[in-house]
Amino acid sequence: MSRLFSIARPIEEIVAHFGVNLSSVASVPSETVEGTPGLIVLEKDGLRLLKSPTWGFPRQTGEMRHNGEPPGRIGLVADLTNPLWDRVVVDAKYRCLIALTHFANPDGVKGAKTRTWFSLHRQPLVAWAGLCRNTPELGPVFAGLTMAANDKIRPLNDRMPVLLKPEEYERWLHGSIEDVIAFQYREPPASDEFAVLQTRDRWQSGTPPSQASRRRDDVLS
C-alpha cells in the first residue's frame, strides 16, 4: 500500500460512528502522509478516545545513528516478525482504529504519476487496523497493518490496508495475538466491494478525493 489516505467525513460523523467518548480533535485533516496527523480511535479505561497523532513509528538504523541522522518514519506494518513491532503487537493497549474514507496509490509513468483513490461502496467511513504508542523520539504516533491486495488494487500495489468491519472493531482492539495474525493473513476484501476514482491530479498535488480532478476515461466500478 502507498503512504497516502484521506478522511472525507465530518468530525461529528466520525465520533458517532466509532462511539467516541472523549475527543481532543477539532478538525479533520484533508489527507495524511507519513509524518503528518491522522485520526485514530483508541480505548483507555473503558472509554473510546479520538486522537490525532502523526503517522509513522520512528525508525533509526545503526548506520543512521553513526552518521548522526534523526530517525525516519515507518507507517506500514507488513511483517509482524519485524523486531520494531515485537513489543506493541502483543499488547492490546497499543491497538487503535485508524479512520479513513479513501486510500490512494500512484498510477502512471515515473515522473508523471497521478493519484488513484480506493474506497468501499457500502462503508463510507472505514477503520484500518492500527498500532499506536507514545515515543520519546516523535511523540504520539501510529502505524497501520497491511495485507495482500485484491485483484482490483494489485495492478497498482501488491499490498493494501487491513480494513475492518464495524462488528470487528472490538476483536481488533481486545483480541489475542492470534486474532492479530488472522486479520493480517486472511483473504482480502472482494474487488467488487471497492470503488475506484482515477484522477488527473499529480501524486504530490495535495488534492484530496473530495476535490479530485477526474480523468475523462475513469470508470467507477
Side-chain angles (χ1 to χ4, degrees):
M1 143 170 199
S2 72
R3 293 168 172 83
L4 172 63
F5 68 90
S6 180
I7 315 168
R9 310 303 295 181
I11 192 74
E12 296 81 8
E13 185 174 335
I14 296 167
V15 166
H17 176 85
F18 290 105
V20 170
N21 299 103
L22 297 172
S23 173
S24 59
V25 179
S27 61
V28 179
S30 60
E31 66 176 45
T32 299
V33 296
E34 283 187 350
T36 66
L39 292 185
I40 68 167
V41 176
L42 54 88
E43 287 196 4
K44 185 176 182 180
D45 300 327
L47 299 177
R48 286 196 177 180
L49 313 177
L50 183 65
K51 301 283 188 177
S52 184
T54 54
W55 186 13
F57 275 55
R59 178 181 180 274
Q60 190 174 43
T61 64
E63 183 178 357
M64 292 169 71
R65 289 193 194 91
H66 178 75
N67 294 332
E69 299 176 25
R73 295 264 186 176
I74 181 167
L76 303 177
V77 186
D79 180 6
L80 291 172
T81 66
N82 187 315
L84 181 65
W85 313 115
D86 58 5
R87 293 186 180 181
V88 297
V89 75
V90 297
D91 194 331
K93 73 179 181 182
Y94 296 118
R95 313 263 178 84
C96 67
L97 306 171
I98 305 167
L100 61 82
T101 59
H102 301 73
F103 62 94
N105 279 303
D107 195 353
V109 299
K110 185 177 181 179
K113 289 188 179 294
T114 56
R115 295 178 164 196
T116 290
W117 295 96
F118 296 88
S119 59
L120 285 171
H121 284 299
R122 298 176 183 86
Q123 196 175 338
L125 187 55
V126 187
W128 178 14
L131 302 172
C132 61
R133 68 173 301 179
N134 198 0
T135 67
E137 303 95 333
L138 300 173
V141 297
F142 70 93
L145 268 69
T146 67
M147 65 190 305
N150 62 27
D151 292 340
K152 184 165 283 187
I153 295 163
R154 194 176 300 114
L156 299 183
N157 202 312
D158 62 2
R159 304 292 292 180
M160 65 178 289
V162 175
L163 302 177
L164 305 172
K165 297 177 180 179
E167 60 268 25
E168 295 175 325
Y169 295 173
E170 281 293 321
R171 183 155 60 96
W172 169 254
L173 290 172
H174 302 289
S176 64
I177 183 60
E178 288 79 15
D179 290 318
V180 171
I181 294 170
F183 276 121
Q184 186 162 49
Y185 292 99
R186 66 183 178 181
E187 289 295 313
S191 293
D192 61 9
E193 296 182 16
F194 286 83
V196 182
L197 173 60
Q198 294 177 309
T199 78
R200 297 193 304 272
D201 300 328
R202 296 296 292 267
W203 177 246
Q204 296 182 342
S205 68
T207 304
S210 59
Q211 302 170 21
S213 176
R214 297 184 180 183
R215 276 173 31 185
R216 289 183 179 180
D217 60 342
D218 74 333
V219 178
L220 296 178
S221 57

